[in-house]
Amino acid sequence: MESVYDVMARQLTEHFGVPQELIGPDATFEDMEFDSLAQVELATMLEDSLGVTLPEERKDFTLGEAAAYLERAAGCAGARAALVEAAQ
C-alpha cells in the first residue's frame, strides 16, 4: 500500500510536473512554487484519493507535515465510519 507521502509525491510529479529533486519531507509548497490555484487543485485531488484534505489555513506545511496530518485525519475518518457502520 502506498503511503500518504508517496501519494502526494506521485501527484506532485505526475500531475503538477514538480521535479523530483524539489520534493522531500522538508520541502514546502512555496519551495515548489505552488500558487493558490495549484494548492486548491492538490487539495481536491487529495480529498478524492484519501477522503481527507489539508486545512486551508495551514499553507506553511512541509510535505512531511502535510503527509502526517493527512494520515491522522484519514485514520480518524476511518474510525468514525467504522463507528457509524457498527451503530447501524
Side-chain angles (χ1 to χ4, degrees), residues 24-73:
D26 295 330
T28 65
F29 293 104
E30 185 177 14
D31 294 337
M32 295 179 291
E33 299 179 2
F34 254 55
D35 62 17
S36 59
L37 181 60
Q39 289 180 4
V40 169
E41 192 173 350
L42 176 63
T44 301
M45 292 176 70
L46 291 170
E47 188 164 8
D48 289 346
S49 61
L50 302 171
V52 293
T53 192
L54 295 170
E56 289 184 29
E57 67 275 7
R58 289 293 316 263
K59 300 193 183 304
D60 59 340
F61 273 136
T62 65
L63 291 182
E65 291 169 338
Y69 175 88
L70 291 168
E71 285 177 359
R72 284 190 306 272

